[in-house]
């Protein structure tokens, strides 16, 4: 008897019981549902929530794979095992099995914890609240490992995921009802709860914290570290990465956000499959560029001099802001979240622009929070319904005017 | 109960749960967010409010027939202000460190909505004994929530309770810190107090469905 058949029988056995949603979810996750709807009018379409979610996950897979290679690469580079990449994206120093497996064994547990805890809570709530398990966590569960530092302790991730799913989503009524993007809620929780594990020069390189502990315990080793570019800039320090490194992603950072190139490909994939909103992505990039240009102009005008603590980030060429930090990842995969973003087309332009604009603003003016894009998206999530309200009201007013003109 | 009639006892027990000033009436939230990062501060705040509200309710109740209704708010404010100054001075004299932790929030008891609310809603229309019980009941209801929130915030945020290191020493890495546990810094920030209060509200209304408001 195949698994499918067994699940069918189990499903029938538990129909109407408390555990029914759990079996239904498992069944529809693995196989096509065997029920057909009766009565009423339907539209036959190939895309359902699961298809949508899977498309987004597919767009993120290259970032995940690259993140695994990069985790190993940063580790080996820091301990001096290998040389820095020299020959572009396909450098042989980067794409080695050794790099991959170091990253794989580090990142796989992050993925497992993220999905295990998150889906566990989803199943639990579905059983308690007696509704079907929703697919909403599929994307969140993949986003979470990509936006945390590689060295984050697993129990912290588990606590944060539990918090994010319960407080960020389930209390509002589950998938589709949340105000804030759950993945960013999880990251924000980590950021404020355990700041030492979310910033600084240790957590971005696999093994740096363990190495520090070993040194503290008296072993004779060299300390390793790797500061993100944003962190270096905020402290006015030099960094040794070229623009090409930033674009291709050979830099320290959260697991999946370093390679702007692969994020760009994922973004194009989302736009062509009509899952992600190109309006939000484009306007967000424009917003970031505008803010970056303003800062560059301020520096050029001589208002901010090198003695200022904002000089490092303000004088960064405006288009560099798109390449460093989590801006690209946040814009493509999180600002476009259809639940928490603006729903109207005009609203999307405003929403996206403000996401980009505020990201760079926070990034520059608050060196304690170098990653502004997280806070900017969460802030705009809150304002998205307000933006939509005014867009709809504006349209109503316009049409009323037209109606009056016709009557008169 | 021998000491209190059934009706009087209800004045004390009702605000503890089913008519709690914080979780049901959603009053006095500001101080619940501001001073609950430490259990000690929560307890002192709870005692201060009990003193002010218990005595204040009695005073207002005694004066209720001679206060012209047009200026009653000013009279109420004067009574609260006088009582709060007493609390503030006592704290400064006997617990200076603590009064510094509580800073302006002792003074801000004056603006605690629960106090003016009970004066207006209860003391102006009831006798002094009943008003006293009502005041004590409501401030205990307020205090219970404050202490629950303070307990969780101090335990999870600093790993201590009333200043004692119950979870071990985070710097020396003893207790559960030895296996990699770390304090949750978010617990020390005010937004987390709001979330903890929210969770209390959630639990309470799940247990007693009658408390859930209709939309």
């Amino acid at each position: 008897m195949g698994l499918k058949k067994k699940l069918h029988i189990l499903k029938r056995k538990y129909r109407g019981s408390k555990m029914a949603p759990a079996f239904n979810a498992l069944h529809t996750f693995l196989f096509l549902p065997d029920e057909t709807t009766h009565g009423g009018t339907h539209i036959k379409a190939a895309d359902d929530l699961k298809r949508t979610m899977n498309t987004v996950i597919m767009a993120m897979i290259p970032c995940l794979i690259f993140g695994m290679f990069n985790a190993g690469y940063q580790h080996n580079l820091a301990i001096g095992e290998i040389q820095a990449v020299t020959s572009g994206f396909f450098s042989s120093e980067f794409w080695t099995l050794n790099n991959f497996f170091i990253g794989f064994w580090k990142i796989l547990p992050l993925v497992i914890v993220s999905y295990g805890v998150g889906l566990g809570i989803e199943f639990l709530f579905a059983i308690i609240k007696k509704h079907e398990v929703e697919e909403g966590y599929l994307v969140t569960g993949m986003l979470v490992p990509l936006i945390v530092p590689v060295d984050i302790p697993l129990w912290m991730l588990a606590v944060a995921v539990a918090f994010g799913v319960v407080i960020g989503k389930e209390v509002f009524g589950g998938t589709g009802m949340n105000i804030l993007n759950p993945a960013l809620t999880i990251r924000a929780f980590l950021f404020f709860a355990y700041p030492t594990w979310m910033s600084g020069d240790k957590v971005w390189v696999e093994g740096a914290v363990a190495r520090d502990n070993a040194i503290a315990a008296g072993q004779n080793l060299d300390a390793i570290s790797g500061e993100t570019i944003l962190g270096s800039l905020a402290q006015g320090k030099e960094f040794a990465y070229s623009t090409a490194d930033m674009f291709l992603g050979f830099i320290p950072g959260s697991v999946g956000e370093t390679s702007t190139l692969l994020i760009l490909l994922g973004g194009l994939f989302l736009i062509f499959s009509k899952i992600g909103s190109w309006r939000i992505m484009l306007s967000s990039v424009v917003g970031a560029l505008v803010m970056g240009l303003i800062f560059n102009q301020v520096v050029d005008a001589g208002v901010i001099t090198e003695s200022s603590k904002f000089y490092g980030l303000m004088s960064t060429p405006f288009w560099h802001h798109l390449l460093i930090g989590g801006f690209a990842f946040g814009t493509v995969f999180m600002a476009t979240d259809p639940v928490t973003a603006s729903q109207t087309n005009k609203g999307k332009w405003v929403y996206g622009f403000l996401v980009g604009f505020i990201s760079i603003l926070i990034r520059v003016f608050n060196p304690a929070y170098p990653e502004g894009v997280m806070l900017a998206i969460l802030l705009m999530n809150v304002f998205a319904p307000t933006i939509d309200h005014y867009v709809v009201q504006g349209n109503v007013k316009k049409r009323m005017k037209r109606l009056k003109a016709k009557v008169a | 109960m021998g000491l209190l009639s059934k009706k009087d006892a209800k004045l004390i027990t009702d605000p503890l749960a089913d008519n709690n000033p914080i979780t049901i009436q959603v009053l006095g939230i500001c101080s619940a967010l501001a001073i609950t990062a430490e259990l000690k501060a929560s307890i002192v705040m709870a005692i201060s409010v009990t003193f002010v509200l218990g005595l204040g309710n009695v005073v207002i109740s005694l004066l209720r027939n001679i206060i012209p209704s047009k200026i009653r708010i000013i009279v109420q404010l004067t009574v609260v202000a006088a009582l709060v100054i007493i609390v503030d001075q006592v704290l400064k004299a006997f617990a200076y460190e603590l009064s510094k932790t509580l800073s302006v929030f002792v003074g801000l008891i004056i603006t605690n909505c629960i106090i003016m609310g009970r004066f207006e809603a209860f003391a102006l229309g009831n006798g002094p004994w009943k008003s006293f019980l009502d005041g004590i009941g409501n401030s205990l209801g307020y205090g219970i929530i404050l202490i629950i929130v303070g307990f969780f915030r101090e335990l999870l945020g600093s790993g201590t309770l009333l200043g004692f290191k119950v979870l071990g020493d985070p710097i020396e890495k003893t207790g559960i810190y030895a296996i990699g546990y770390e304090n949750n810094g978010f617990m020390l920030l005010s937004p987390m107090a709001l979330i903890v209060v929210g969770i209390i509200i959630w639990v309470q209304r799940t247990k007693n469905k009658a408390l859930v408001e209709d939309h």
Side-chain angles (χ1 to χ4, degrees):
Chain A
M1 194 163 40
L3 180 66
K4 188 173 179 181
K5 193 95 198 227
K6 267 189 202 155
L7 269 173
H8 270 306
I9 293 170
L10 270 178
K11 219 175 97 179
R12 217 149 287 145
K13 197 173 142 197
Y14 282 95
R15 177 164 295 162
S17 80
K18 234 180 166 184
M19 294 298 286
F23 287 107
N24 285 350
L26 204 62
H27 181 247
T28 57
F29 181 73
L30 296 171
F31 301 103
L32 209 64
D34 59 337
E35 285 118 1
T36 47
T37 35
H38 303 281
T41 320
H42 328 293
I43 297 170
K44 194 176 174 211
D47 56 332
D48 60 353
L49 195 53
K50 235 174 306 174
R51 176 74 64 90
T52 310
M53 297 282 169
N54 285 340
T55 314
V56 183
I57 291 176
M58 272 154 66
M60 283 189 285
I61 292 292
C63 296
L64 179 72
I65 309 266
F66 184 91
M68 289 176 178
F69 276 101
N70 193 37
Y73 167 74
Q74 295 296 339
H75 173 75
N76 281 334
L77 191 65
I79 60 175
E81 288 277 313
I82 54 169
Q83 299 296 312
V85 289
T86 46
S87 53
F89 190 63
F90 296 103
S91 297
S92 55
E93 293 93 342
F94 186 79
W95 302 97
T96 61
L97 273 183
N98 182 16
N99 283 350
F100 177 76
F101 278 113
I102 290 178
F104 180 75
W105 290 121
K106 197 70 197 176
I107 290 164
L108 187 67
L110 297 180
V111 178
I112 292 173
V113 167
S114 163
Y115 271 115
V117 175
L119 287 177
I121 292 172
E122 289 265 348
F123 272 67
L124 202 69
F125 267 82
I127 291 167
I128 295 173
K129 288 161 90 179
K130 300 190 182 67
H131 62 66
E132 293 301 312
V133 177
E134 287 142 343
E135 293 93 338
Y137 191 73
L138 291 180
V139 166
T140 309
M142 183 52 79
L143 277 169
V144 168
L146 294 181
I147 54 174
V148 293
V150 66
D151 246 2
I152 189 101
L154 294 177
W155 71 268
M156 283 182 190
L157 192 67
V159 171
V161 168
F163 176 87
V165 174
V166 175
I167 302 293
K169 197 161 83 174
E170 291 300 341
V171 292
F172 294 108
T175 303
M177 315 289 257
N178 44 314
I179 298 170
L180 301 173
N181 183 316
L184 281 177
T185 312
I186 290 165
R187 193 180 197 278
F189 177 85
L190 281 171
F191 189 86
F192 288 106
Y194 309 109
T196 50
W197 287 94
M198 292 297 284
S199 54
D201 61 354
K202 293 295 173 199
V203 291
W204 311 103
V205 177
E206 197 272 305
V209 178
R211 181 67 74 98
D212 264 14
N213 289 340
I215 293 169
Q219 289 187 43
N220 187 18
L221 291 165
D222 286 333
I224 55 177
S225 66
E227 177 68 285
T228 60
I229 294 177
L230 277 177
S232 310
L233 282 171
Q235 294 162 28
K237 286 194 292 203
E238 295 287 316
F239 58 87
Y241 303 103
S242 68
T243 309
D245 286 344
M246 295 178 199
F247 180 67
L248 299 175
F250 304 126
I251 51 176
S254 297
V255 172
E257 53 86 354
T258 57
S259 176
T260 313
L261 172 70
L262 292 177
I263 294 165
L264 200 64
L265 289 180
L268 289 176
F269 179 65
L270 287 185
I271 290 173
F272 283 113
S273 57
K274 301 212 167 123
I275 302 284
S277 158
W278 61 272
R279 289 183 180 87
I280 293 177
M281 296 188 206
L282 183 66
S283 56
S284 167
V285 167
V286 171
L289 290 178
V290 166
M291 190 78 239
L293 264 178
I294 293 175
F295 283 137
N296 279 182
Q297 293 305 315
V298 169
V299 171
D300 286 348
V303 183
I304 296 284
T305 57
E306 281 195 41
S307 56
S308 161
K309 61 178 173 176
F310 302 125
Y311 182 79
L313 276 163
M314 269 191 160
S315 60
T316 308
F318 64 96
W319 53 278
H320 270 196
H321 280 296
L322 303 183
L323 306 180
I324 57 181
F327 179 79
F329 193 86
T331 298
V332 168
F333 293 114
M334 287 183 289
T336 54
D337 173 2
V339 176
T340 53
S342 282
Q343 311 287 326
T344 53
N345 281 345
K346 252 189 217 165
K348 281 177 182 166
W349 286 107
V350 178
Y351 167 88
F353 182 84
L354 286 173
V355 165
F357 194 81
I358 296 172
S359 294
I360 308 302
L361 190 71
I362 297 175
R363 198 178 257 192
V364 170
F365 278 130
N366 202 336
Y369 304 137
E371 198 35 277
V373 65
M374 167 182 86
L375 300 170
I377 294 175
L378 285 174
L379 181 70
M380 289 318 296
N381 281 170
V382 175
F383 281 104
T386 316
I387 297 171
D388 278 342
H389 173 79
Y390 282 107
V391 171
V392 171
Q393 288 302 314
N395 202 30
V396 168
K397 251 183 220 153
K398 207 167 72 189
R399 295 186 66 158
M400 288 294 262
K401 231 185 237 164
R402 214 183 306 158
L403 194 71
K404 262 182 209 151
K406 232 182 208 173
V407 170
Chain B
M1 222 184 285
L3 192 63
L4 299 169
S5 73
K6 217 172 202 175
K7 233 175 168 181
D8 286 352
K10 239 178 123 52
L11 288 175
I12 288 198
T13 54
D14 248 16
L16 291 185
D18 289 352
N19 198 13
N20 190 289
I22 292 187
T23 61
I24 305 297
Q25 299 169 18
V26 198
L27 295 174
I29 294 289
C30 346
S31 54
L33 303 192
I35 48 89
T36 49
E38 285 173 41
L39 184 55
K40 204 171 173 188
S42 309
I43 293 174
V44 171
M45 191 69 179
I47 295 171
S48 309
V49 170
T50 311
F51 173 79
V52 173
L53 189 51
L55 272 185
N57 252 2
V58 173
V59 174
I60 295 293
S61 172
L62 288 172
L63 294 174
R64 70 186 188 279
N65 293 326
I66 50 170
I67 304 174
S69 85
K70 270 185 186 165
I71 58 158
R72 67 181 194 282
I73 301 282
I74 298 176
V75 176
Q76 286 164 10
L77 272 178
T78 318
V79 173
V80 197
L83 291 167
V84 167
I85 288 171
I86 295 173
V87 171
D88 198 25
Q89 294 300 320
V90 169
L91 279 179
K92 273 191 182 139
F94 297 105
Y96 185 63
E97 284 305 313
L98 205 61
S99 82
K100 272 208 296 199
T101 322
L102 290 169
S103 67
V104 293
F105 290 100
V106 176
L108 284 179
I109 294 177
I110 298 172
T111 60
N112 192 321
C113 327
I114 296 173
I115 292 174
M116 295 299 278
R118 288 335 287 173
F119 285 1
E120 279 281 301
F122 199 91
L124 279 177
N126 289 285
W129 174 237
K130 276 204 164 99
S131 299
F132 176 70
L133 293 178
D134 177 78
I136 298 292
N138 272 285
S139 39
L140 285 180
Y142 168 82
I144 278 183
I145 302 298
L146 236 60
I147 288 167
I148 296 175
V149 178
F151 175 84
F152 284 111
R153 284 184 72 191
E154 188 175 346
L155 183 68
L156 299 175
S158 324
T160 58
L161 277 180
L162 293 170
F164 295 108
K165 291 173 181 150
V166 289
L167 297 182
D169 194 316
I171 298 157
E172 299 286 322
K173 301 269 179 226
T174 59
I176 67 169
Y177 292 100
I179 54 166
Y181 176 80
E182 282 199 25
N183 288 325
N184 187 330
F186 200 13
M187 276 286 172
L188 299 177
L189 306 176
S190 299
M192 205 58 189
L194 193 65
I195 290 170
V196 176
V197 171
I199 292 174
I200 297 174
I201 291 177
W202 183 12
V203 171
Q204 194 183 8
R205 281 169 211 218
T206 312
K207 287 204 159 171
N208 187 352
K209 295 277 184 206
L211 297 175
V212 179
E213 291 93 347
D214 296 323
H215 292 292

